[in-house]
Amino acid sequence: MKLGIQKKVVISIVIVGMLPLLVGLYLTYLDGKTTRRNSIGASFQELAKETADKIDMVIGREVIDTQRLALSPNIRAAIKKRGSDPALIHYLREFKRYDERAVHSLLVVDSEGRFIAGINESNKGDYKNENWFTGAYNGDKGRVYVGDLKLEGETDVYLINIAVPVMDGGAAIGLLVIRYSVDKLLSVINSVRIEETGHANLVDSSGTIIMCPIFPLRSHQVSSDLIATISQTRPGWGVVRDDAHGGHGSIIGFAPVRSTIISENGWFDGKRWYIFTRQSPEEVYAPIYALLSRISLFGAALIALLSLMGVYAARKIVKPIDELYKGVEHFERGDLGYRLAIKTNDEIEKLADEFNRMAGTIQETYSNLQNRTMELETSEERYKDLIENSPEMIHSVNADRFFVNVNKTELNTVGYALAEMMRMRIDDIVPDDFRERMKDHIAQAIEKGISTVEAQFITKNGRRIDVEVTATALYDPISGEFVRTRAFVRDITERKKLEGAIRESEEKYKNLFDSLTDSLFMLDTEGRVTAVNRKQEEVLGYLRDIIIGREFPAILSEEDRKKFADLLERTLGGNNQPTVEVSVLNQRGELLIMEMDIIGIRKNEKMDFMVIHLRDITKKKELEGQLLRAERFNALSHFSSMLAHDLRNPIIGIRQRLKSLQSTIGTSNPKVTNRVLADIISSSELLLGLINDVLDVYQNSYEDLPLIFSTFPVTEAVEEAIKLLQIEAEEKNMRVCLHCEDRSTAIHADMRRLKRVFINLLDNAIQYSDAGGKVDITFRLTGDGGDELLFAIEDEGIGIPPLKLASIFEPLYKVGKKESKRGTGLGLYFCKVIVDAHCGKIWAENRPEKGAVFYITLPVRGGEGHVH
Ligand code: ADP
């Protein structure tokens, strides 16, 4: 760049300098040449005229000399007497001597052309036929004759014959001929010199150069052009192509030798003489060339100076531009942080500032762009990834239904490679029977922008899959022409299967619905019947067509309609309703007792419809009545046997003591009698308590069962229970052991009832143990500050099945009927009622070894309470 601008500036300067220089040179050349030509031409013309005049003068003078000599009487006399005499010869010799250099010879002839006298001339006899004779004699009228330049005989010099008549009495009597050498003429010609190459030439009208300082006489011819130019009657000048001396375009000056052009003279054998001056053009124009070369030199120096200045100026301009360029290169390489430091205080500095500002903006924009690009790339990646890995099949087809893109999911599903699919049409993966539908679908997508179709695809391995294709058309945003579709393909094979299954299951459920043993009514939320099953027709006898659309309560008894209205309201409110008994009118108007379940079916969080189950329990009710009666009877017998069992122990005790009393009446000491009586009284009290318990348990309500609280040692109650069951334990050969830390541990509770609890537990322990077993009873104070009593009774008996551990406390509960032949299932229930009334807890566990443990915790200070 730097070089470019510098070059351009220098070249411009050179051109700007060169052009005027060249034009100036050219104009100077033209002008100089013209001026020079004009002045040289004029001076050459002058010189030629001058030279021609000189020639004329030389010839004229010689003619005059000849004429003067011819006037000599000696000559006339000699002619007349037809012979020379020594005086004439002398006279002539004197004449010749007077002009020795010019006069070559003299000759005198008479009118017959006969030799009279001669100097330097031998007598040739008759001269009548000589040109000069005929010319000068002129039929005795006589005239001056000047002959042409001729090479004379053996002398080998050029001579001019000048003949004049010797007149006598008005007629020519003879002729005087003087042969002049051309030396004088030559010296005239040679005297003309213009610088080095300029000289004069004497030419005759035939084109022969007669005299020239360079060539020998008559040795050269001039061109016809040149002769045409110079053969003018007046002097002039011109430029000729060939100046006969090797000069082209030479300036010549010319002028006629006047005496030669006077035609009546007939001199020089009729030839005219001309002078022309010439100079070699190189010499003529040399000053101009010198001037031009001086100007050129000066111009070149000027241009060189200007160029240097140009280079300097260009450097000044280029340097900051170079800086700019460097900066731009930095920017180009992406180094947008680079800043130009140009302080030229001119437009370039402004430009640099603009560049810097622009770079800043670009940098900012670029980084924004980069971020955006990155975001875009990520989002495109994501989008691509989304499309590629979308669980749905996605493809695109063009207007000819050729695939243009297919995602991985679809490729995996149909089993073709992408490259294969790109050569296929959608028709190729659609079975024949769906092809038309697919064509229509694509056409519709193109026309309307979107279309959905259900069809089938055939995979590469021939499997058919049901698909739902939703195609959106993509159009060219500029031309608006359709480009391709983008279709989401859903595999609906499962759905289709499900639909089939649903249809089947609907069928099934309908059958089920109809074949159910309950009468079913489906009601809308207003309580109107929308469907009934077949059983209903059987049981209630209402025909489907009649009952559908009617209000359901219409078939209920009057009393139950209100009940149903409440149920309906609660069901609509979302509550599950318990089974209720209602009286339903059948088609014949009879009242049937039925169990009714009402179930609300919701759809989308809203109650949709209700199903009513009606089970005819008229017969069951009758049976239940009978069963109840039987059960009551059974319970009574159970109760009797239990009572008998419970009463048996104290009564046996009383009987034995009475027997011992009877046997010892009168003999026993009163102490023993008293102890026996006390035992009898205590057993009777126990009996009474027992009867009271039975009354407690079997009374209709347990509420407000009063507890009689007193504080008593626990050992007392426990030992009394052990004592009561002593006989039974002994019968089974069992040991009952009481362990306690502190025998005085007392409790505030209902002693009589707690004693019943201990008796029941110990009775069970003995009863559900094999003979020879052992029962351990323990109690101690626990809890914070010992305010709780923990009582435990362990046996080595059969234990309780783990799942039944909680149930055994329910009333009338028995684990298995055969284990207990005499049990009522009331014992543990009673225990629980009493312990609960004391705000205590009772539970059972199994011992790891064998047998069961029953635990009771009771507050020591007694929770004042009553049975719940
Ligand atoms: P029952 O009069 O039948 O004894 P209970 O209410 O006293 O009535 O007992 C309920 C049931 O709990 C009994 O039928 C028996 O199966 C079981 N059961 C009670 N105590 C024991 C025990 N110590 N070992 C094993 N099973 C027991």
mmCIF file with all atom_site columns, all heavy atoms in Angstrom, residues 115-128:
data_model
loop_
_atom_site.group_PDB
_atom_site.id
_atom_site.type_symbol
_atom_site.label_atom_id
_atom_site.label_alt_id
_atom_site.label_comp_id
_atom_site.label_asym_id
_atom_site.label_entity_id
_atom_site.label_seq_id
_atom_site.pdbx_PDB_ins_code
_atom_site.Cartn_x
_atom_site.Cartn_y
_atom_site.Cartn_z
_atom_site.occupancy
_atom_site.B_iso_or_equiv
_atom_site.pdbx_formal_charge
_atom_site.auth_seq_id
_atom_site.auth_comp_id
_atom_site.auth_asym_id
_atom_site.auth_atom_id
_atom_site.pdbx_PDB_model_num
ATOM 1   N N   . PHE A 1 115 ? 41.396 31.059 -88.876 1.00 0.00 ? 115 PHE A N   1
ATOM 2   C CA  . PHE A 1 115 ? 42.313 31.487 -87.806 1.00 0.00 ? 115 PHE A CA  1
ATOM 3   C C   . PHE A 1 115 ? 43.085 32.703 -88.232 1.00 0.00 ? 115 PHE A C   1
ATOM 4   O O   . PHE A 1 115 ? 43.645 32.725 -89.264 1.00 0.00 ? 115 PHE A O   1
ATOM 5   C CB  . PHE A 1 115 ? 43.254 30.297 -87.492 1.00 0.00 ? 115 PHE A CB  1
ATOM 6   C CG  . PHE A 1 115 ? 44.237 30.577 -86.393 1.00 0.00 ? 115 PHE A CG  1
ATOM 7   C CD1 . PHE A 1 115 ? 43.891 30.454 -85.041 1.00 0.00 ? 115 PHE A CD1 1
ATOM 8   C CD2 . PHE A 1 115 ? 45.536 31.006 -86.715 1.00 0.00 ? 115 PHE A CD2 1
ATOM 9   C CE1 . PHE A 1 115 ? 44.828 30.697 -84.083 1.00 0.00 ? 115 PHE A CE1 1
ATOM 10  C CE2 . PHE A 1 115 ? 46.469 31.267 -85.701 1.00 0.00 ? 115 PHE A CE2 1
ATOM 11  C CZ  . PHE A 1 115 ? 46.095 31.092 -84.348 1.00 0.00 ? 115 PHE A CZ  1
ATOM 12  N N   . ILE A 1 116 ? 43.073 33.707 -87.413 1.00 0.00 ? 116 ILE A N   1
ATOM 13  C CA  . ILE A 1 116 ? 43.829 34.901 -87.705 1.00 0.00 ? 116 ILE A CA  1
ATOM 14  C C   . ILE A 1 116 ? 45.013 34.960 -86.777 1.00 0.00 ? 116 ILE A C   1
ATOM 15  O O   . ILE A 1 116 ? 46.139 35.075 -87.200 1.00 0.00 ? 116 ILE A O   1
ATOM 16  C CB  . ILE A 1 116 ? 42.950 36.173 -87.573 1.00 0.00 ? 116 ILE A CB  1
ATOM 17  C CG1 . ILE A 1 116 ? 41.748 36.113 -88.512 1.00 0.00 ? 116 ILE A CG1 1
ATOM 18  C CG2 . ILE A 1 116 ? 43.795 37.473 -87.797 1.00 0.00 ? 116 ILE A CG2 1
ATOM 19  C CD1 . ILE A 1 116 ? 42.055 36.118 -90.025 1.00 0.00 ? 116 ILE A CD1 1
ATOM 20  N N   . ALA A 1 117 ? 44.681 34.921 -85.492 1.00 0.00 ? 117 ALA A N   1
ATOM 21  C CA  . ALA A 1 117 ? 45.775 34.942 -84.505 1.00 0.00 ? 117 ALA A CA  1
ATOM 22  C C   . ALA A 1 117 ? 45.304 34.224 -83.260 1.00 0.00 ? 117 ALA A C   1
ATOM 23  O O   . ALA A 1 117 ? 44.133 34.051 -83.024 1.00 0.00 ? 117 ALA A O   1
ATOM 24  C CB  . ALA A 1 117 ? 46.130 36.392 -84.171 1.00 0.00 ? 117 ALA A CB  1
ATOM 25  N N   . GLY A 1 118 ? 46.272 33.827 -82.480 1.00 0.00 ? 118 GLY A N   1
ATOM 26  C CA  . GLY A 1 118 ? 45.874 33.148 -81.224 1.00 0.00 ? 118 GLY A CA  1
ATOM 27  C C   . GLY A 1 118 ? 46.999 33.154 -80.213 1.00 0.00 ? 118 GLY A C   1
ATOM 28  O O   . GLY A 1 118 ? 48.178 33.132 -80.579 1.00 0.00 ? 118 GLY A O   1
ATOM 29  N N   . ILE A 1 119 ? 46.626 33.229 -78.960 1.00 0.00 ? 119 ILE A N   1
ATOM 30  C CA  . ILE A 1 119 ? 47.591 33.116 -77.871 1.00 0.00 ? 119 ILE A CA  1
ATOM 31  C C   . ILE A 1 119 ? 47.177 31.860 -77.112 1.00 0.00 ? 119 ILE A C   1
ATOM 32  O O   . ILE A 1 119 ? 46.013 31.714 -76.711 1.00 0.00 ? 119 ILE A O   1
ATOM 33  C CB  . ILE A 1 119 ? 47.525 34.333 -76.908 1.00 0.00 ? 119 ILE A CB  1
ATOM 34  C CG1 . ILE A 1 119 ? 47.803 35.656 -77.601 1.00 0.00 ? 119 ILE A CG1 1
ATOM 35  C CG2 . ILE A 1 119 ? 48.497 34.128 -75.716 1.00 0.00 ? 119 ILE A CG2 1
ATOM 36  C CD1 . ILE A 1 119 ? 49.223 35.852 -78.135 1.00 0.00 ? 119 ILE A CD1 1
ATOM 37  N N   . ASN A 1 120 ? 48.186 30.996 -76.932 1.00 0.00 ? 120 ASN A N   1
ATOM 38  C CA  . ASN A 1 120 ? 47.914 29.732 -76.236 1.00 0.00 ? 120 ASN A CA  1
ATOM 39  C C   . ASN A 1 120 ? 46.910 28.865 -76.982 1.00 0.00 ? 120 ASN A C   1
ATOM 40  O O   . ASN A 1 120 ? 46.260 28.007 -76.398 1.00 0.00 ? 120 ASN A O   1
ATOM 41  C CB  . ASN A 1 120 ? 47.393 30.033 -74.815 1.00 0.00 ? 120 ASN A CB  1
ATOM 42  C CG  . ASN A 1 120 ? 47.937 29.032 -73.794 1.00 0.00 ? 120 ASN A CG  1
ATOM 43  O OD1 . ASN A 1 120 ? 48.825 28.249 -74.137 1.00 0.00 ? 120 ASN A OD1 1
ATOM 44  N ND2 . ASN A 1 120 ? 47.445 29.095 -72.606 1.00 0.00 ? 120 ASN A ND2 1
ATOM 45  N N   . GLU A 1 121 ? 46.831 29.182 -78.310 1.00 0.00 ? 121 GLU A N   1
ATOM 46  C CA  . GLU A 1 121 ? 45.884 28.439 -79.138 1.00 0.00 ? 121 GLU A CA  1
ATOM 47  C C   . GLU A 1 121 ? 46.620 27.987 -80.391 1.00 0.00 ? 121 GLU A C   1
ATOM 48  O O   . GLU A 1 121 ? 47.302 28.776 -81.021 1.00 0.00 ? 121 GLU A O   1
ATOM 49  C CB  . GLU A 1 121 ? 44.722 29.328 -79.599 1.00 0.00 ? 121 GLU A CB  1
ATOM 50  C CG  . GLU A 1 121 ? 43.679 29.593 -78.551 1.00 0.00 ? 121 GLU A CG  1
ATOM 51  C CD  . GLU A 1 121 ? 42.684 28.495 -78.395 1.00 0.00 ? 121 GLU A CD  1
ATOM 52  O OE1 . GLU A 1 121 ? 42.569 27.607 -79.297 1.00 0.00 ? 121 GLU A OE1 1
ATOM 53  O OE2 . GLU A 1 121 ? 41.985 28.482 -77.339 1.00 0.00 ? 121 GLU A OE2 1
ATOM 54  N N   . SER A 1 122 ? 46.467 26.799 -80.778 1.00 0.00 ? 122 SER A N   1
ATOM 55  C CA  . SER A 1 122 ? 47.061 26.356 -82.026 1.00 0.00 ? 122 SER A CA  1
ATOM 56  C C   . SER A 1 122 ? 46.009 26.517 -83.126 1.00 0.00 ? 122 SER A C   1
ATOM 57  O O   . SER A 1 122 ? 44.822 26.504 -82.837 1.00 0.00 ? 122 SER A O   1
ATOM 58  C CB  . SER A 1 122 ? 47.485 24.882 -81.895 1.00 0.00 ? 122 SER A CB  1
ATOM 59  O OG  . SER A 1 122 ? 46.417 24.121 -81.441 1.00 0.00 ? 122 SER A OG  1
ATOM 60  N N   . ASN A 1 123 ? 46.447 26.693 -84.284 1.00 0.00 ? 123 ASN A N   1
ATOM 61  C CA  . ASN A 1 123 ? 45.537 26.935 -85.392 1.00 0.00 ? 123 ASN A CA  1
ATOM 62  C C   . ASN A 1 123 ? 44.860 25.652 -85.790 1.00 0.00 ? 123 ASN A C   1
ATOM 63  O O   . ASN A 1 123 ? 45.485 24.653 -86.139 1.00 0.00 ? 123 ASN A O   1
ATOM 64  C CB  . ASN A 1 123 ? 46.332 27.492 -86.578 1.00 0.00 ? 123 ASN A CB  1
ATOM 65  C CG  . ASN A 1 123 ? 45.401 27.875 -87.733 1.00 0.00 ? 123 ASN A CG  1
ATOM 66  O OD1 . ASN A 1 123 ? 44.179 27.691 -87.664 1.00 0.00 ? 123 ASN A OD1 1
ATOM 67  N ND2 . ASN A 1 123 ? 46.003 28.409 -88.790 1.00 0.00 ? 123 ASN A ND2 1
ATOM 68  N N   . LYS A 1 124 ? 43.556 25.677 -85.670 1.00 0.00 ? 124 LYS A N   1
ATOM 69  C CA  . LYS A 1 124 ? 42.826 24.463 -86.030 1.00 0.00 ? 124 LYS A CA  1
ATOM 70  C C   . LYS A 1 124 ? 42.171 24.647 -87.388 1.00 0.00 ? 124 LYS A C   1
ATOM 71  O O   . LYS A 1 124 ? 41.326 23.870 -87.797 1.00 0.00 ? 124 LYS A O   1
ATOM 72  C CB  . LYS A 1 124 ? 41.745 24.172 -84.977 1.00 0.00 ? 124 LYS A CB  1
ATOM 73  C CG  . LYS A 1 124 ? 42.339 23.608 -83.691 1.00 0.00 ? 124 LYS A CG  1
ATOM 74  C CD  . LYS A 1 124 ? 41.221 23.228 -82.724 1.00 0.00 ? 124 LYS A CD  1
ATOM 75  C CE  . LYS A 1 124 ? 41.788 22.835 -81.408 1.00 0.00 ? 124 LYS A CE  1
ATOM 76  N NZ  . LYS A 1 124 ? 40.812 23.013 -80.338 1.00 0.00 ? 124 LYS A NZ  1
ATOM 77  N N   . GLY A 1 125 ? 42.535 25.762 -88.073 1.00 0.00 ? 125 GLY A N   1
ATOM 78  C CA  . GLY A 1 125 ? 41.995 25.956 -89.417 1.00 0.00 ? 125 GLY A CA  1
ATOM 79  C C   . GLY A 1 125 ? 40.646 26.641 -89.402 1.00 0.00 ? 125 GLY A C   1
ATOM 80  O O   . GLY A 1 125 ? 40.537 27.797 -89.073 1.00 0.00 ? 125 GLY A O   1
ATOM 81  N N   . ASP A 1 126 ? 39.669 25.848 -89.633 1.00 0.00 ? 126 ASP A N   1
ATOM 82  C CA  . ASP A 1 126 ? 38.307 26.385 -89.774 1.00 0.00 ? 126 ASP A CA  1
ATOM 83  C C   . ASP A 1 126 ? 37.539 26.276 -88.483 1.00 0.00 ? 126 ASP A C   1
ATOM 84  O O   . ASP A 1 126 ? 37.441 25.214 -87.897 1.00 0.00 ? 126 ASP A O   1
ATOM 85  C CB  . ASP A 1 126 ? 37.598 25.582 -90.881 1.00 0.00 ? 126 ASP A CB  1
ATOM 86  C CG  . ASP A 1 126 ? 36.287 26.218 -91.266 1.00 0.00 ? 126 ASP A CG  1
ATOM 87  O OD1 . ASP A 1 126 ? 35.910 27.299 -90.714 1.00 0.00 ? 126 ASP A OD1 1
ATOM 88  O OD2 . ASP A 1 126 ? 35.570 25.618 -92.083 1.00 0.00 ? 126 ASP A OD2 1
ATOM 89  N N   . TYR A 1 127 ? 36.924 27.399 -87.975 1.00 0.00 ? 127 TYR A N   1
ATOM 90  C CA  . TYR A 1 127 ? 36.161 27.393 -86.699 1.00 0.00 ? 127 TYR A CA  1
ATOM 91  C C   . TYR A 1 127 ? 34.677 27.681 -86.928 1.00 0.00 ? 127 TYR A C   1
ATOM 92  O O   . TYR A 1 127 ? 33.956 27.987 -86.012 1.00 0.00 ? 127 TYR A O   1
ATOM 93  C CB  . TYR A 1 127 ? 36.735 28.436 -85.730 1.00 0.00 ? 127 TYR A CB  1
ATOM 94  C CG  . TYR A 1 127 ? 38.159 28.103 -85.225 1.00 0.00 ? 127 TYR A CG  1
ATOM 95  C CD1 . TYR A 1 127 ? 39.268 28.610 -85.893 1.00 0.00 ? 127 TYR A CD1 1
ATOM 96  C CD2 . TYR A 1 127 ? 38.337 27.267 -84.127 1.00 0.00 ? 127 TYR A CD2 1
ATOM 97  C CE1 . TYR A 1 127 ? 40.560 28.301 -85.469 1.00 0.00 ? 127 TYR A CE1 1
ATOM 98  C CE2 . TYR A 1 127 ? 39.631 26.972 -83.713 1.00 0.00 ? 127 TYR A CE2 1
ATOM 99  C CZ  . TYR A 1 127 ? 40.713 27.459 -84.313 1.00 0.00 ? 127 TYR A CZ  1
ATOM 100 O OH  . TYR A 1 127 ? 41.951 27.160 -83.911 1.00 0.00 ? 127 TYR A OH  1
ATOM 101 N N   . LYS A 1 128 ? 34.375 27.617 -88.249 1.00 0.00 ? 128 LYS A N   1
ATOM 102 C CA  . LYS A 1 128 ? 33.022 28.048 -88.632 1.00 0.00 ? 128 LYS A CA  1
ATOM 103 C C   . LYS A 1 128 ? 31.937 27.248 -87.909 1.00 0.00 ? 128 LYS A C   1
ATOM 104 O O   . LYS A 1 128 ? 30.866 27.736 -87.604 1.00 0.00 ? 128 LYS A O   1
ATOM 105 C CB  . LYS A 1 128 ? 32.850 27.875 -90.183 1.00 0.00 ? 128 LYS A CB  1
ATOM 106 C CG  . LYS A 1 128 ? 31.971 28.983 -90.758 1.00 0.00 ? 128 LYS A CG  1
ATOM 107 C CD  . LYS A 1 128 ? 31.476 28.577 -92.124 1.00 0.00 ? 128 LYS A CD  1
ATOM 108 C CE  . LYS A 1 128 ? 32.230 29.249 -93.250 1.00 0.00 ? 128 LYS A CE  1
ATOM 109 N NZ  . LYS A 1 128 ? 32.242 28.731 -94.539 1.00 0.00 ? 128 LYS A NZ  1
#
